[in-house]
Amino acid sequence: MRARVLITALSLIGAAVTATVTPAQEAMALPDGLALTPPMGFNNWNATGCAIDETLIRATADIFVSTGLREAGYEYVNIDDCWAEQERDPETGRYVPHRERFPSGIEALADYVHARGLKLGIYTSAGTLTCARTMPGSLDHEEVDAQTFADWGVDYLKYDNCNNEGRPALERYTKMRDALKKTGRPIVYSICEWGQNRPWEWGADVGHLWRTTGDINDSWTSMMSLLEQNAPLAPNAGPGHWNDPDMLEVGNGGMTDREYRSHFSLWATMAAPLLIGTDLRDATPETLEILGNREVIAVDQDPLGVQGRLLRKDNGRWVMVKPLQDGDIALTLFNSSETTATFGATAAELGLPNRTAYTVRDLWEHKTYENAGNFSAAVPAHGTVMYRVDAEDRGWWRHPPATEFALDLPAPFTGVPGTVTPAGRPFTANVTVVNRGRTPVLNGRVKLAPAAGWRVEPLGNTGKPLLRTGESLTAAFRVTPPATAPPDGYALDATLSYASLLHPRLNRTAGEDLAVPTPAPAGTSNLGDLAWAKAANGLGPVERNTSVGSAPTGDGRTLTINGRTYDKGLGTHAEASVLFYLAGKCSGLTVDVGIDDERDPRPDPTQGTAIFEIWADGTKVADSGLRTWQDDALTLSANLTGASFVRIVTNGSPDGFRWDRGDWAAPVLACA
Ligand code: GLA
């Protein structure tokens, strides 16, 4: 059966294989008992790129031990590109570890890592050179390289796809599989051909995991795009053969902690490999808490090995379901929209038997509740709630009733979140509680705690003595930041206190991070020099007065649109949105827009297209239409009279996001 699948796949992608599979080859085929759960560990690429050295690998192994990450399941410490010298050893033809960055050699490093109960991974490409082109690839050197890795004590190989000379993927990846097998050492084999040849259709016989997508970068847009591509491939994953939507960005700074929690939750739901991609030497407690969440890790690592599937998705409300070995169900509620949303799934939709109540564990709150069968939650913008639902627990009644608890700040305009709260300007905060338990919620009372000096006035009732199953309490508050509040971030916390029949004192909290924005100065100024209220970008951060460059901060070049250079402006990458606060005092914005010349030099007309828009509050006031990399800059002028906010938007176009580096050049804002 496996052999037939392999041959079908070979002929599908045009590999030069005509003979039938011999018994010897059949013995090479996977599965082989490795990677029965998705691999967990570390890979340096997202944190350091080529700037890797043996100190980082040793430090990571030590931190795995000292922080408990090893006990949480992280096992592989993996080295990515740039670890070897450019030339092979002239006598043996073997790789030579980079003399400055890996002076002790890989074998010594493997010993170090093994001594700590961990495993070592390495990287190369199924091509003549690796992707960074700083070292040779393994194409046509498969046997010597696999043997070298085995001799060194390597336990994991990531095998990339760069510089492959156009040779068929299946042939190249199978050759390395066989070379690894021949060494006799168990080595987890990670196929990294970016999903180009539909590896989910043939990968199970070749490797233990396969990338389904291009590279991740540390942005919301990138994470979302990989999620969209990987989620539908659920049927192709299972023990020993996993879809790999690329490594984690948790902790790298381009997303909020809430977004990183979503990234981690979604990867776990999709039974993705959990490879930490941040430098743990600088990790914050929040980062360690996310990566170390054992209840979420248990969902990823569940031995049943089913990749969670998407039950439904509408208006950015994602409901994903992952069956677990003990009969529980992991339910992931992810909100990709810009405002708090309340949604979930019923026991019937999850295929659960009809029960009086279910025991539900909240995997981020680390609390257990009883639920009458409607597993919903108020999920903040870009946030995720994960439940583990148990239909068989007769002792459900011991737990407090589950509640939906929402703190919602209505968005004043499309694209302007309610969390941006100008000084002195009152706004409304709505707090909602719904009893989702079978037992009653007693003496429910909500409170709002803003920063010191901020005014809070309840606009009605803030409590109810009794909420039966499905009943709700809504409280509205008027919140006013002081007129003198300096531009900064401020916390707003809502608390629910209640009781149940068995629990006299219960509470829940929900919080939002508010931003008091800096108003644009009087006179004319350049957007490249102003503080923004909020920015989102498709690749790395929005850059000031340079092009966007790549993912790192401050790596752009001179803003250049079709040969014309500018010394002021903003470098963005689709999908981008940058919001400025005008306080109603500005009259207009004039700006040159276009695709930056910073792009792949190869002539490919589908690369580098975007649509530029200017929004004044909720109204679109300028639109560039489709601009391509061949176009000169286009001047846009927008009337902003009376607007509180201006928002510049770089939209992708139907050809995807590659090289969509949108420049907002010489953006002159006129204010009174
Ligand atoms: C490719 C891979 C990445 C990383 C780099 C290294 O882009 O997809 O994951 O390994 O190469 O150069």
Side-chain angles (χ1 to χ4, degrees):
M1 175 62 187
R2 287 256 180 236
R4 200 164 49 239
V5 172
L6 180 62
I7 292 168
T8 314
L10 279 163
S11 49
L12 266 178
I13 66 170
V17 171
T18 41
T20 42
V21 171
T22 66
Q25 281 168 319
E26 176 73 345
M28 298 288 188
L30 272 61
D32 59 3
L34 284 178
L36 293 178
T37 61
M40 288 178 66
F42 167 84
N43 173 299
N44 67 285
W45 182 255
N46 290 345
T48 69
C50 270
I52 183 194
D53 59 23
E54 60 181 48
T55 322
L56 170 66
I57 298 301
R58 286 207 201 92
T60 303
D62 290 340
I63 295 171
F64 271 11
V65 176
S66 65
T67 56
L69 287 172
R70 180 185 65 185
E71 266 55 53
Y74 293 94
E75 184 179 22
Y76 292 94
V77 185
N78 294 352
I79 303 168
D80 209 278
D81 205 345
C82 310
W83 60 269
E85 289 287 334
Q86 189 89 53
E87 304 297 334
R88 291 170 175 274
D89 181 310
E91 266 153 45
T92 60
R94 288 182 161 219
Y95 276 118
V96 179
H98 196 276
R99 291 193 181 85
E100 272 142 47
R101 293 200 291 266
F102 291 88
S104 326
I106 304 298
E107 190 171 358
L109 214 48
D111 290 345
Y112 188 93
V113 167
H114 292 155
R116 280 149 189 79
L118 299 165
K119 294 187 166 144
L120 187 77
I122 210 158
Y123 161 99
T124 184
S125 180
T128 51
L129 291 168
T130 60
C131 292
R133 298 173 158 267
T134 60
M135 56 175 276
S138 285
L139 190 63
D140 298 328
H141 298 262
E142 291 85 357
E143 295 216 349
V144 62
D145 291 349
Q147 194 55 53
T148 306
F149 298 149
D151 292 347
W152 285 344
V154 165
D155 308 290
Y156 184 113
L157 173 67
K158 171 176 169 183
Y159 202 35
D160 215 334
N161 195 27
C162 285
N163 309 304
N164 62 39
E165 313 246 275
R167 282 159 59 177
L170 187 55
E171 183 186 298
R172 288 179 293 117
Y173 283 94
T174 306
K175 241 178 143 183
M176 181 55 91
R177 173 199 73 185
D178 294 344
L180 291 170
K181 280 263 141 171
K182 204 174 152 198
T183 69
R185 186 176 173 84
I187 297 179
V188 170
Y189 181 31
S190 153
I191 298 173
C192 178
E193 64 76 82
W194 319 313
Q196 287 186 345
N197 300 282
R198 305 178 70 81
W200 46 90
E201 288 173 357
W202 48 266
D205 286 311
V206 181
H208 302 100
L209 59 156
W210 49 83
R211 282 273 296 276
T212 55
T213 69
D215 288 5
I216 194 167
N217 72 65
D218 186 19
S219 72
W220 174 254
T221 309
S222 168
M223 194 277 288
M224 283 303 299
S225 142
L226 302 194
L227 167 67
E228 303 261 10
Q229 294 170 64
N230 196 66
L233 304 175
N236 299 90
H241 55 280
W242 308 102
N243 289 315
D244 174 6
D246 207 359
M247 305 170 292
L248 300 170
E249 291 283 3
V250 176
N252 285 337
M255 292 182 248
T256 64
D257 284 336
R258 185 191 284 166
E259 291 169 341
Y260 284 137
R261 247 174 258 130
S262 291
H263 174 24
F264 195 70
S265 302
L266 293 162
W267 263 231
T269 305
M270 294 192 294
L274 298 179
L275 292 169
I276 295 171
T278 196
D279 189 336
L280 290 171
R281 293 173 296 192
D282 312 320
T284 61
E286 289 76 18
T287 295
L288 291 174
E289 191 225 296
I290 295 170
L291 295 171
N293 186 332
R294 294 189 185 209
E295 299 197 77
V296 173
I297 291 172
V299 171
D300 180 77
Q301 294 290 302
D302 187 79
L304 193 60
V306 173
Q307 175 173 333
R309 74 188 164 88
L310 185 61
L311 182 68
R312 103 165 72 84
K313 175 176 78 167
D314 55 77
N315 291 317
R317 299 155 189 217
W318 296 61
V319 179
M320 294 180 80
V321 183
K322 185 180 197 286
L324 305 175
Q325 192 172 53
D326 65 359
D328 288 0
I329 283 191
L331 174 63
T332 300
L333 307 176
F334 166 53
N335 175 9
S336 67
S337 83
E338 304 303 320
T339 47
T340 299
T342 300
F343 61 103
T346 62
E349 286 176 296
L350 299 181
L352 290 172
N354 199 7
R355 299 276 186 259
T356 309
Y358 304 78
T359 293
V360 176
R361 180 78 175 165
D362 183 318
L363 306 187
W364 285 106
E365 260 192 17
H366 305 296
K367 287 186 181 161
T368 307
Y369 301 100
E370 58 87 3
N371 184 302
N374 186 345
F375 313 106
S376 71
V379 189
H382 292 197
T384 298
V385 168
M386 270 182 96
Y387 291 140
R388 185 171 180 134
V389 181
D390 178 354
E392 305 305 333
D393 179 18
R394 300 253 165 93
W396 59 264
W397 51 270
R398 291 193 188 89
H399 306 294
T403 52
E404 270 167 33
F405 183 45
L407 165 60
D408 189 24
L409 309 176
F413 308 108
T414 308
V416 181
T419 50
V420 175
T421 54
R425 189 188 283 193
F427 62 93
T428 305
N430 298 314
V431 182
T432 310
V433 182
V434 184
N435 180 8
R436 291 295 172 199
R438 179 61 65 196
T439 58
V441 166
L442 308 170
N443 297 325
R445 191 155 301 283
V446 294
K447 276 199 184 122
L448 208 56
W454 291 44
R455 259 208 3 243
V456 171
E457 303 151 78
L459 301 174
N461 261 343
T462 58
K464 265 191 184 174
L466 171 68
L467 297 178
R468 281 176 287 247
T469 305
E471 289 182 347
S472 61
L473 151 66
T474 304
F477 298 87
R478 197 177 134 100
V479 185
T480 316
T484 54
D488 203 350
Y490 296 85
L492 180 67
D493 290 318
T495 323
L496 161 69
S497 56
Y498 67 111
S500 71
L501 297 174
L502 294 179
H503 304 265
R505 205 158 285 131
L506 295 163
N507 52 64
R508 296 193 62 194
T509 56
E512 282 291 357
D513 294 324
L514 307 184
V516 169
T518 309
T524 57
S525 49
N526 201 292
L527 286 191
D529 299 327
L530 298 190
W532 53 66
K534 197 176 163 70
N537 201 41
L539 179 67
V542 173
E543 299 283 2
R544 293 177 186 286
N545 302 321
T546 68
S547 62
V548 78
S550 193
T553 307
D555 67 340
R557 299 181 226 167
T558 304
L559 291 159
T560 313
I561 302 170
N562 236 3
R564 177 159 175 203
T565 60
Y566 298 82
D567 57 356
K568 293 280 174 189
L570 293 168
T572 71
H573 189 296
E575 305 276 291
S577 161
V578 193
L579 179 71
F580 294 88
Y581 177 50
L582 309 179
K585 293 199 176 129
C586 302
S587 54
L589 173 67
T590 307
V591 57
D592 278 7
V593 296
I595 306 297
D596 196 275
D597 288 1
E598 174 186 71
R599 33 165 243 103
D600 194 329
R602 284 170 297 193
D604 174 354
T606 65
Q607 285 190 3
T609 51
I611 299 160
F612 299 80
E613 297 172 358
I614 304 176
W615 290 70
D617 293 341
T619 311
K620 187 159 73 172
V621 288
D623 185 332
S624 71
L626 185 70
R627 307 303 294 170
T628 78
W629 60 276
Q630 289 134 313
D631 294 334
D632 286 335
L634 174 77
T635 305
L636 296 180
S637 289
N639 182 345
L640 303 176
T641 311
S644 293
F645 294 94
V646 66
R647 191 163 62 96
I648 62 169
V649 178
T650 312
N651 277 327
S653 49
D655 71 358
F657 301 119
R658 271 171 64 79
W659 300 101
D660 290 356
R661 288 162 158 79
D663 287 350
W664 295 79
V668 177
L669 182 69
C671 306

